[in-house]
């Protein structure tokens, strides 16, 4: 039998270590490949979902734009109604103010009318008394 030298043993150890390293590297690369495949699938799914969401967002924005244009058109139509309502409110306010002024003047005038009525009543009573006195005086003069 031949003797195995130290160099051959060292070479055998290196060869075994290299085989073990290659086996571990192959397992690591297989796991890494599976992980990359899963990441690729996830990225593809996310891309598909993002494209779908983007398409739906575009549709929503288009509909929103149409709706906003419609609302703006209707606001132009309704705007004169609001201006008319504001004018009507001012007119009602002016009528209310005129009514208050009329009532205030009426109160003042009616108080003056009441005073004048009292004066007329006193004047009539005085006139009646004076007539009665005059009749009595005339009667007394005739009797004398």
């Amino acid at each position: 039998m031949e003797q195995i030298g130290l160099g051959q043993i060292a070479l055998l150890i290196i060869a075994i270590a290299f085989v073990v390293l290659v086996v571990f590297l192959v397992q690591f690369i297989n796991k890494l490949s599976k992980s990359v495949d899963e990441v690729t699938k996830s990225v593809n799914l996310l891309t598909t979902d993002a494209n779908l969401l983007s398409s739906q967002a575009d549709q929503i924005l288009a509909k929103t734009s149409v709706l906003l244009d419609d609302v703006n058109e209707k606001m132009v139509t309704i705007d004169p109604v609001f201006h008319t309502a504001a004018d009507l409110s001012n007119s009602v306010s002016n009528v209310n103010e005129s009514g208050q002024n009329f009532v205030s003047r009426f109160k003042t005038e009616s108080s003056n009318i009441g005073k004048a009525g009292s004066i007329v009543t006193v004047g009539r009573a005085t006139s009646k008394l004076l007539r009665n006195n005059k009749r009595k005086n005339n009667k007394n003069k005739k009797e004398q």
Side-chain angles (χ1 to χ4, degrees):
M1 229 171 106
E2 269 184 51
Q3 280 188 327
I4 300 178
L6 284 177
Q8 290 176 342
I9 293 175
L11 235 120
L12 185 63
I13 291 174
I14 290 174
I16 292 171
F18 185 72
V19 170
V20 169
L21 178 64
V22 168
V23 169
F24 281 119
L25 281 175
V26 167
Q27 287 178 349
F28 175 74
I29 290 174
N30 281 337
K31 288 181 182 179
L32 183 63
S33 175
K34 288 179 183 177
S35 294
V36 169
D37 287 343
E38 289 298 320
V39 168
T40 302
K41 287 178 187 176
S42 296
V43 167
N44 287 337
L45 182 63
L46 287 173
T47 302
T48 304
D49 289 348
N51 288 338
L52 179 64
L53 287 174
S54 175
S55 172
Q56 289 174 348
D58 287 343
Q59 290 174 359
I60 289 172
L61 285 174
K63 288 179 181 178
T64 302
S65 178
V66 168
L67 180 63
L68 188 59
D69 289 342
D70 187 44
V71 167
N72 284 336
E73 284 179 30
K74 287 185 169 85
M75 284 300 293
V76 167
T77 304
I78 293 174
D79 196 38
V81 173
F82 288 117
H83 286 295
T84 303
D87 291 344
L88 180 63
S89 174
N90 287 338
S91 297
V92 168
S93 178
N94 291 339
V95 167
N96 187 23
E97 185 178 334
S98 296
Q100 288 175 349
N101 289 340
F102 175 76
V103 167
S104 175
R105 280 186 280 139
F106 182 75
K107 283 181 181 178
T108 304
E109 294 297 323
S110 67
S111 124
N112 290 340
I113 289 171
K115 291 175 186 174
S118 298
I119 291 172
V120 168
T121 304
V122 168
R124 284 182 185 167
T126 307
S127 173
K128 195 174 188 182
L129 279 172
L130 288 175
R131 269 186 272 140
N132 286 339
N133 280 341
K134 192 174 181 183
R135 282 184 198 157
K136 283 182 188 180
N137 284 340
N138 284 341
K139 210 179 197 187
N140 286 340
K141 281 185 185 179
K142 284 184 187 180
E143 288 179 4
Q144 289 178 354

